[in-house]
Amino acid sequence: MPDGSIPTPRPLRDADALAGAGLVPAESLPALRQVAARYAVSVTPAMAALIDPADPADPIAAQYIPRAWELETTPQELADPIADHPHTPVKGVVHRYPDRALLKPLLACPVYCRFCFRREQVGPAGGVLSEAELDTALEWFATHPQVQEAILTGGDPLMLSPRRLAHIVRRLSAMPHIRIIRLHSRVPVADPARITDALAEALDTETALFLCLHANHTREFTDDARAALRRLSRAGVALLGQTVLLRGVNDTAETLEALLRTMLAHRVKPYYLHQLDRAPGTARFEVPIAEGRALLESLRGRVTGLAWPTYALDLPDGQGKAPIGPDFAERRDGGWQVRGPLGGAHFQPDQDAAPAG
Ligand SMILES: *Cc1c(COP(=O)(O)O)cnc(C)c1O
Ligand code: SF4
C-alpha cells in the first residue's frame, strides 16, 4: 500500500466472492447467483473467519451462506410474516402495541441471515430514511405520549454512523414520555469493529437504553465481540439477548445451553427465544414448537434461571409476540398441579376464603 495503511477486510457480498474465499464450491455458483439475486448476501470478515469450510454442518455457515433451497417456498410462508406493513403510520415507524413502537432508520445489516423474517425488505441498498423522513418519524414519537419506548430496529440500527445514531438518541432522550430506548442489533457479534468508542458514546444517555443482541451460536462470541460488548456496557448500555431457534444451529440441548451460558458470561441476559417466522425459503430452519418446548424444559433447573428466555411466536397476523411455553402449571379441580424443574410435582390447592380480620 503506497500510504502504508492496512487494507480493511470487506464483507463478502455475492456468490462469486464466497467462492473466491473458498466458502462455497464453484459448482454451486449458478444456483447461488440466483439466490443472491433474490435475497441479499453479506458475510463479514469476523463471521467468515469462524466458518470451517470442511464442515458441511457448520452452524455459522448455516446462518449466512446462501443455499439453493432458499428458492423453494412452502404454502405456509409469507412475504411479510409478522404483518409490519399494515401497522406503519409513517415511513420507518411500526406501531402495534400501545406503549411501544419500532423505528426503522435503515434496512441494511452487517450480515444477511438466511432465515431473516424481513428478508423481502432488508438489503445493502436498504431504505435509509432521508433526513426529512427521519424527522417525520421522530415527530411521530414526539406527538404520541402514550408511547414510552422507542425500539430501533431495521435492518440494523448500529449500521448508522455514530453521528446519526447520536442524533436519534438525543432527539428521543429529549422526549419526556420516552422512558426506554431499545436497539435490536447483530453488530456486536457480526461486525464488532463497528463498536468504536464514538459509537458507544452515541448511546450514552440518561434515558434507560437497552441493546438486544441477536446471536444464535456460542461461537459468535469472539474476543472482539467480547470487547465490543464490554465497551457498550461501560457506556451504560444494558444488554439483552435474542435468539432464533434454528435447525442445525442451536436445536440441541447442548448447543442451546452453551449459547445461553455464553451470553450471560458476556453480560447479555437472554430475553427471547424466537420460534422461526415463516419467511419465504426458510422452511429447513424450522424446529417444531413441541421440540422447542422440550428443549427449554430440559434446561429448566439444570441451568441458572438467569439464562431462561421467553420462548415466543410472533403471530403472523400482526397480533404480537405470544409466549409458547413450556408450561409447568395446570389447572385441576380446586387448585393447580405444578411440576417442579427438579422432577417433583406439587398440588397447590386454592386458598379457602381469606381469613377474617
Ligand atoms: C417485537 C415488537 C415489539 C417489541 O415487543 P416486546 O415483546 O416488547 O419485545 C414492539 N413493537 C413491534 C411492532 C414489534 O414487532
Ligand atoms: S440481522 Fe436481523 S434483520 Fe438483518 S438479516 Fe439478520 S435477521 Fe434479518
Side-chain angles (χ1 to χ4, degrees), residues 50-346:
L50 293 180
I51 296 173
D52 172 5
D55 177 3
D58 186 278
I60 308 298
Q63 296 182 65
Y64 305 124
I65 304 292
R67 307 280 183 210
W69 49 257
E70 289 176 44
L71 295 172
E72 300 161 21
T73 54
T74 71
Q76 286 78 26
E77 292 172 345
L78 302 163
D80 182 11
I82 62 169
D84 274 354
H85 194 67
H87 296 84
T88 298
V90 302
K91 190 171 177 193
V93 175
V94 182
H95 186 210
R96 218 191 305 272
Y97 298 102
D99 71 329
R100 55 207 193 275
L102 308 184
L103 172 59
K104 301 197 280 188
L106 82 175
L107 291 172
C109 296
V111 281
Y112 292 103
C113 312
R114 307 327 298 166
F115 49 84
C116 175
F117 66 124
R118 293 204 179 106
R119 60 188 331 210
E120 299 278 12
Q121 286 91 43
V122 297
V128 185
L129 295 187
S130 68
E131 293 288 337
E133 287 165 340
L134 179 61
D135 199 58
T136 305
L138 289 168
E139 257 324 285
W140 183 90
F141 278 90
T143 53
H144 284 76
Q146 75 275 30
V147 173
Q148 302 186 22
E149 180 176 2
I151 305 172
L152 273 65
T153 175
D156 194 315
L158 294 190
M159 296 296 279
L160 294 170
S161 69
R163 186 188 60 80
R164 277 201 111 200
L165 202 54
H167 168 75
I168 296 173
V169 169
R170 238 182 280 122
R171 286 276 299 271
L172 291 169
S173 300
M175 299 174 196
H177 58 279
I178 296 291
R179 305 181 70 193
I180 304 168
I181 299 171
R182 197 202 308 180
L183 289 92
H184 283 203
S185 178
R186 212 158 175 23
V187 167
V189 291
D191 197 4
R194 277 187 178 271
I195 311 294
T196 57
D197 287 332
L199 190 126
E201 213 172 287
L203 299 179
D204 194 342
T205 170
E206 280 306 310
T207 306
L209 190 146
F210 291 80
L211 186 137
C212 189
L213 174 72
H214 172 185
N216 300 323
H217 195 273
T218 182
R219 262 168 50 201
E220 294 172 358
F221 291 81
T222 59
D223 289 347
D224 288 343
R226 188 178 192 91
L229 291 165
R230 187 78 183 97
R231 192 165 283 152
L232 291 169
S233 69
R234 275 202 205 97
V237 175
L239 301 171
L240 301 170
Q242 60 173 338
T243 296
V244 184
L245 182 58
L246 295 168
R247 181 65 86 215
V249 177
N250 52 29
D251 60 335
T252 65
E254 293 70 36
T255 50
L256 194 57
E257 173 177 344
L259 169 66
L260 296 171
R261 286 190 188 277
T262 299
M263 279 187 167
L264 278 176
H266 289 74
R267 293 183 171 80
V268 176
K269 162 75 187 93
Y271 172 48
Y272 272 135
L273 177 66
H274 295 286
Q275 179 66 11
L276 183 79
D277 293 312
R278 287 177 169 165
T282 62
R284 293 197 200 192
F285 285 112
E286 185 165 325
V287 178
I289 289 177
E291 212 178 308
R293 287 163 60 102
L295 270 173
L296 271 184
E297 194 163 327
S298 74
L299 300 185
R300 190 79 216 182
R302 198 157 63 81
V303 175
T304 167
L306 283 176
W308 188 255
T310 299
Y311 182 31
L313 173 67
D314 212 335
L315 303 188
D317 49 2
Q319 295 302 298
K321 293 175 189 72
I324 51 173
D327 312 313
F328 289 83
E330 222 180 287
R331 186 68 188 163
R332 292 279 168 81
D333 261 357
W336 289 87
Q337 183 68 21
V338 184
R339 290 180 304 125
L342 299 177
H346 165 75

